[in-house]
Amino acid sequence: MAEAGETHISDDERAMLGNILSVLQRARLNPFTTKSDFARTAANEIALCASDDLITTRLNPNTVSNVWVITPDGLDALEGLSDVLGS
């Protein structure tokens, strides 16, 4: 039987969560273009965040831009990750 308490996060998981946190922070504070150096460097994390609707390029139902911005779900995830990672 497993003990109750905190779940251990491996170093690899912590690094990936940290990268996702960086993408969400950047999208919130300094939105970045789809072809920026940051977007190229963090392409995998951006794809994950976009597929989970944490960031978007959609400004409204009829308009898409070339800038990634955080969504309301992304703000929630940002807060949760900050709590988990202690940032």
Side-chain angles (χ1 to χ4, degrees):
M1 179 177 236
E3 290 185 36
E6 294 184 15
T7 302
H8 176 71
I9 299 175
S10 73
D11 290 341
D12 288 342
E13 290 171 321
R14 182 173 291 281
M16 178 58 121
L17 292 174
N19 291 343
I20 292 168
L21 179 64
S22 294
V23 168
L24 294 175
Q25 288 173 327
R26 179 76 181 263
R28 179 174 178 251
L29 300 173
N30 189 17
F32 51 95
T33 65
T34 56
K35 294 184 179 183
S36 66
D37 289 339
F38 180 77
R40 291 183 223 287
T41 302
N44 291 333
E45 292 83 359
I46 290 167
L48 187 145
C49 289
S51 66
D52 285 346
D53 196 33
L54 304 179
I55 61 174
T56 188
T57 58
R58 187 167 297 280
L59 300 176
N60 61 53
N62 299 317
T63 307
V64 177
S65 74
N66 70 334
V67 177
W68 288 108
V69 296
I70 198 163
T71 65
D73 286 346
L75 289 171
D76 291 341
L78 176 63
E79 182 178 336
L81 282 172
S82 293
D83 289 346
V84 167
L85 297 176
S87 299

